[in-house]
Amino acid sequence: MSRGVAGGGGGGGSNDFQWCFSQVKGAIDEDVAEADIISTVEFNYSGDLLATGDKGGRVVIFQREQENKSRPHSRGEYNVYSTFQSHEPEFDYLKSLEIEEKINKIRWLPQQNAAHFLLSTNDKTIKLWKISERDKRAEGYNLKDEDGRLRDPFRITALRVPILKPMDLMVEASPRRIFANAHTYHINSISVNSDHETYLSADDLRINLWHLEITDRSFNIVDIKPANMEELTEVITAAEFHPHHCNVFVYSSSKGTIRLCDMRSSALCDRHSKFFEEPEDPSSRSFFSEIISSISDVKFSHSGRYMMTRDYLSVKVWDLNMENRPIETYQVHEYLRSKLCSLYENDCIFDKFECCWNGSDSAIMTGSYNNFFRMFDRNTRRDITLEASRESSKPRAILKPRKVCTGGKRKKDEISVDSLDFNKKILHTAWHPVENIIAVAATNNLYIFQDKIN
Amino acid sequence: MEFKLEAHRIVSISLGKIYSARGQRGGLKLHKNLLVSLVLRSARQVYLSEPGCPPEPPHAACGPPEEEPPPCTTVWAAGEPPPPPQDEAARGGPRLPGADCEGPRSRRCCCGCSCCCAAGGGEANPADCATAGAAAPPPPHCPRKRSAGERGQAGSPVKKPRREVEDPPPPPPGEQEDMDTGNVASLISIFGSSFSGLLSKEPKGRRRAPLDGSETAPAEAAAEPGQICCDEPVLRTLNPWSTAIVAF
């Protein structure tokens, strides 16, 4: 299967690698409140923190507990570290529009001091949050007593130096910057630059470059809005900075193309440096060809040599040095190709699936329906389908591979395409940057799975 | 024929989506509506390219009926270039009187479209357009006429000159593709008449705002759910692009 960097996975056959259930977060209730639906999942750079955002505008951060020496086989668990309301619903009075509070993306900043910083965004506004710990408080103030009430200055006869006393750990989240009013359209991506000073935000038609310290200005670096909106043919669907080259970023479009831009070449990066597009297979043309070719996510590999794109039915890995076609294509759920009309009807065809790399770039993961998610090992070319379900949620229970029956006789344990639950979709997944730990968002639940080395 | 039915179905589903997109929380989703309009275009092309439905000449912007109440014009100004004046001059009976703004949207839409469809329709397929156009029916009759399907050639000679007048100069063949994929005559132009019917019920101010920002005018034009008009004449007049994009 997938070989992580940690553990003894190297060199052995793929059979010695299995995924096990670790934890599940969220209510078990069948009746899911819309606000609780998870809309983004992201590990921080070390993997010790895992952030989720939901449709209600809340951010929940989980922290990995230190490994327990008495139980060496079980890795540290993720427990709630901080919860805060990042965005509230707003109303744009000029346009008579409600602005949803749904968190579209969370991106962590690299850690530079004791505090943690992350960017969270809804459709219109990006916020920089500082998450800091407080485990001491000062006692023995002169001007106020222990309750906080001000003391009468005339009663103070002696001075004392306040001393720090330990207190129960308190994690505070405070908004440090609010980057607003820069996007006319809906923000779909944010990406922190490798210079750790700037970041980009992308909406349907424009990409802006920000400095983390400056909120009243941003630079527009891509603008694909046509002079006449009637001529609009494509929109920006995702954007990301290169992990190492601070002048390079890519953005994907609804037409299935990716453009790589170099900010050194010009201030406005409307002209790309590289243009990635795979020629369409004319034999598979249908009414919905354009929709299913729309790219929903683009992610650079950790190495920076490759990038991965997700469209409705497949995941493609591209070599940055080859623009005319991807080097690898993985079918996620090809059996849906014959169902596109129904999926169009029930809007599922517009679902935006994300994808992610493992730490060593040897494997990729993406979600599907029926709470299935898929992993592809790039070296062995093996793939596996797993399910995030409460049934297989016993501690350290090994996940059983799932299979969808595409036709003919359905074998035992297979599920037929028509039995798939299209309301149970896994759009957001995240892979720990170093270890084989994955976080999978299934509606309002967050599943955490770990590898088990036999 | 199967393809035609499927295309027809897809067109009606697409229109329904555009319509329901107006009420979505968070405003119109440009990406989704763009994709829907692409599907709409593909389906329409298939539908029209089926035997018996020759491809139409470049679409002419459908102007609002001359009887349009002021709000419609306002909407036009906000969201669209105003239609060529000759459209209104050319239109005659088929246009619904302004009073019919109150009528069911779909009827208005179709009747309105029939004129436009004249602009877009091929000669060999005058049928619905012709009848709807030439008959100058009062609104209540429209749906019946539309749904009746194939019609006689009666109106076609009448239609033709009107068509020609209504057409803006057709683009040179090389630009044909541009017109198809690029120049969007928004659905609002097609459903202009029915849209104005909605307008007349709502305060001007509110109408403007959605056009500026996010709403899809044609969504409303697509009538109440369940009353989507997707007959031949409508399809003929449907330009590839929805106003969803224009609204921005």
Side-chain angles (χ1 to χ4, degrees):
Chain A
M1 247 298 320
S2 21
R3 293 181 188 82
V5 174
S14 56
N15 285 339
D16 57 7
F17 190 99
Q18 286 172 312
W19 287 98
C20 306
F21 171 82
S22 174
Q23 296 169 271
V24 59
K25 308 284 188 191
I28 307 176
D29 212 13
E30 277 298 313
D31 215 6
V32 179
E34 170 121 2
D36 294 334
I37 296 174
I38 298 170
S39 50
T40 184
V41 184
E42 187 83 354
F43 279 101
N44 74 337
Y45 282 75
S46 65
D48 282 341
L49 295 178
L50 176 60
T52 62
D54 64 24
K55 282 194 172 183
R58 288 166 305 210
V59 171
V60 179
I61 300 176
F62 301 92
Q63 184 187 47
R64 196 172 181 202
E65 300 300 334
Q66 295 305 315
E67 292 199 18
N68 193 329
K69 291 202 169 48
S70 64
R71 288 187 302 158
H73 292 296
S74 85
R75 306 268 180 79
E77 280 191 345
Y78 284 86
N79 295 322
V80 177
Y81 180 63
S82 173
T83 303
F84 57 93
Q85 186 76 32
S86 170
H87 287 72
E88 299 272 4
E90 287 173 53
F91 199 78
D92 180 337
Y93 296 96
L94 282 179
K95 296 182 181 177
S96 291
L97 267 191
E98 191 179 4
I99 299 168
E100 279 189 283
E101 66 277 28
K102 173 169 81 92
I103 307 294
N104 292 337
K105 283 287 180 331
I106 288 174
R107 289 288 182 264
W108 290 93
L109 266 58
Q111 191 174 10
Q112 286 169 332
N113 53 37
H116 299 277
F117 290 85
L118 60 79
L119 288 170
S120 67
T121 186
N122 68 349
D123 283 339
K124 297 286 184 181
T125 303
I126 307 130
K127 295 187 183 180
L128 175 69
W129 288 90
K130 176 180 178 183
I131 296 102
S132 49
E133 292 182 7
R134 187 192 291 216
D135 60 357
K136 298 180 187 51
R137 69 160 186 268
E139 276 181 15
Y141 284 98
N142 290 294
L143 295 177
K144 56 183 180 180
D145 60 24
E146 298 311 315
D147 299 335
R149 282 177 305 187
L150 291 173
R151 288 167 73 189
D152 187 355
F154 296 106
R155 295 262 183 108
I156 300 168
T157 53
L159 283 178
R160 56 187 176 171
V161 177
I163 48 175
L164 291 174
K165 289 228 172 109
M167 59 179 258
D168 290 339
L169 178 67
M170 197 166 76
V171 181
E172 298 173 317
S174 60
R176 304 303 285 186
R177 306 269 186 276
I178 297 184
F179 305 91
N181 303 319
H183 286 280
T184 309
Y185 304 95
H186 295 331
I187 297 173
N188 52 54
S189 312
I190 48 175
S191 177
V192 181
N193 205 348
S194 51
D195 64 8
H196 303 167
E197 286 186 351
T198 57
Y199 74 94
L200 63 76
S201 58
D203 67 27
D204 292 315
L205 297 178
R206 298 191 178 101
I207 301 179
N208 293 333
L209 179 70
W210 300 84
H211 192 284
L212 285 164
E213 299 290 332
I214 300 168
T215 59
D216 61 353
R217 251 177 304 154
S218 73
F219 291 98
N220 176 246
I221 52 177
V222 173
D223 188 340
I224 65 168
K225 182 176 178 181
N228 182 359
M229 276 298 271
E230 291 185 347
E231 289 159 11
L232 181 74
T233 56
E234 67 183 322
V235 296
I236 297 168
T237 53
E240 196 181 46
F241 265 120
H242 191 278
H244 310 309
H245 304 305
C246 59
N247 54 301
V248 173
F249 66 93
V250 291
Y251 68 93
S252 59
S253 83
S254 54
K255 275 190 171 176
T257 64
I258 309 102
R259 288 170 177 81
L260 184 143
C261 301
D262 185 336
M263 294 194 290
R264 292 175 306 189
S265 57
S266 72
L268 190 59
C269 298
D270 281 358
R271 289 181 54 199
H272 50 263
S273 300
K274 294 196 184 191
F275 182 75
F276 299 83
E277 184 179 31
E278 181 172 31
E280 191 193 353
D281 176 12
S283 64
S284 64
R285 186 126 181 82
S286 76
F287 286 124
F288 308 104
S289 298
E290 277 146 331
I291 299 191
I292 62 171
S293 67
S294 176
I295 292 173
S296 52
D297 194 17
V298 64
K299 291 266 171 46
F300 276 105
S301 64
H302 290 92
S303 64
R305 271 197 64 190
Y306 306 102
M307 66 177 175
M308 164 169 57
T309 56
R310 175 72 155 97
D311 50 69
Y312 190 64
L313 296 179
S314 68
V315 187
K316 296 177 182 173
V317 176
W318 303 77
D319 185 322
L320 294 187
N321 296 317
M322 188 162 75
E323 299 169 51
N324 59 346
R325 59 180 172 82
I327 54 169
E328 294 154 32
T329 300
Y330 301 94
Q331 301 301 335
V332 180
H333 36 218
E334 182 68 12
Y335 46 79
L336 296 182
R337 193 180 286 273
S338 55
K339 312 271 176 200
L340 293 179
C341 193
S342 316
L343 294 166
Y344 178 69
E345 232 177 317
N346 63 16
D347 271 358
C348 284
I349 207 173
F350 301 105
D351 287 334
K352 295 187 181 164
F353 292 95
E354 292 172 7
C355 52
C356 58
W357 298 86
N358 72 341
S360 61
D361 298 336
S362 63
I364 57 183
M365 170 169 63
T366 189
S368 179
Y369 294 103
N370 209 69
N371 278 355
F372 287 172
F373 57 99
R374 304 261 283 138
M375 286 179 180
F376 304 93
D377 185 317
R378 297 179 60 217
N379 299 327
T380 64
R381 295 307 179 112
R382 284 185 212 244
D383 61 272
I384 190 170
T385 305
L386 299 171
E387 183 180 1
S389 73
R390 292 274 174 177
E391 283 74 41
S392 50
S393 300
K394 296 172 191 43
R396 295 190 297 285
I398 295 175
L399 291 184
K400 203 174 58 173
R402 306 289 312 206
K403 194 147 163 58
V404 176
C405 164
T406 52
K409 206 160 158 14
R410 187 178 75 88
K411 298 192 186 72
K412 182 174 174 285
D413 283 349
E414 282 186 358
I415 181 166
S416 73
V417 180
D418 299 313
S419 311
L420 294 173
D421 186 344
F422 289 93
N423 291 319
K424 291 186 180 172
K425 51 192 87 172
I426 291 180
L427 304 174
H428 313 287
T429 59
W431 206 312
H432 190 285
V434 177
E435 298 181 34
N436 282 326
I437 304 172
I438 54 175
V440 173
T443 317
N444 63 327
N445 290 144
L446 183 72
Y447 287 81
I448 299 173
F449 303 106
Q450 294 180 357
D451 68 338
K452 173 178 178 160
I453 317 282
N454 290 331
Chain B
M1 192 54 196
E2 277 175 27
F3 292 121
K4 189 165 175 170
L5 283 173
E6 201 200 348
H8 188 278
R9 182 163 160 254
I10 289 172
V11 166
S12 53
I13 293 170
S14 304
L15 289 174
K17 287 191 190 301
I18 293 173
Y19 176 78
S20 59
R22 354 171 357 238
Q24 252 174 10
R25 213 178 149 231
L28 191 112
K29 309 264 185 277
L30 183 62
H31 184 200
K32 181 178 175 185
N33 280 272
L34 179 69
L35 295 176
V36 169
S37 65
L38 289 173
V39 171
L40 194 54
R41 173 185 65 168
S42 301
R44 176 175 158 273
Q45 279 174 348
V46 166
Y47 188 81
L48 296 174
S49 63
E50 288 285 299
C53 309
E56 52 190 74
H59 174 88
C62 301
E66 47 202 338
E67 301 85 353
E68 288 298 22
C72 186
T73 317
T74 306
V75 164
W76 271 97
E80 278 283 293
Q86 63 261 34
D87 282 1
E88 295 184 3
R91 283 168 213 270
R95 302 311 280 179
L96 294 170
D100 291 313
C101 282
E102 311 302 318
R105 316 285 179 261
S106 56
R107 292 178 202 162
R108 285 197 49 93
C109 145
C110 285
C111 285
C113 290
S114 64
C115 291
C116 304
C117 110
E123 269 124 325
N125 181 23
D128 315 45
C129 318
T131 308
H141 295 303
C142 284
R144 267 179 266 143
K145 285 206 159 36
R146 281 201 320 280
S147 54
E150 298 300 305
R151 297 288 182 168
Q153 302 264 338
S156 69
V158 176
K159 282 312 224 178
K160 213 167 161 190
R162 193 179 291 123
R163 221 178 294 157
E164 281 161 13
V165 171
E166 284 169 344
D167 272 347
E175 290 175 34
Q176 180 83 18
E177 180 57 25
D178 285 340
M179 282 288 273
D180 257 339
T181 59
N183 277 357
V184 178
S186 57
L187 282 174
I188 195 182
S189 69
I190 297 152
F191 301 116
S193 51
S194 57
F195 182 72
S196 67
L198 289 164
L199 283 183
S200 67
K201 289 185 173 175
E202 305 189 70
K204 241 190 233 190
R206 192 191 171 275
R207 267 303 79 187
R208 277 211 208 226
L211 262 197
D212 274 347
S214 60
E215 296 305 329
T216 303
E220 290 158 334
E224 300 91 3
Q227 268 202 318
I228 310 288
C229 49
C230 293
D231 293 346
E232 195 100 17
V234 176
L235 285 176
R236 226 150 265 303
T237 57
L238 279 181
N239 228 40
W241 289 93
S242 78
T243 243
I245 291 112
V246 179
F248 274 104

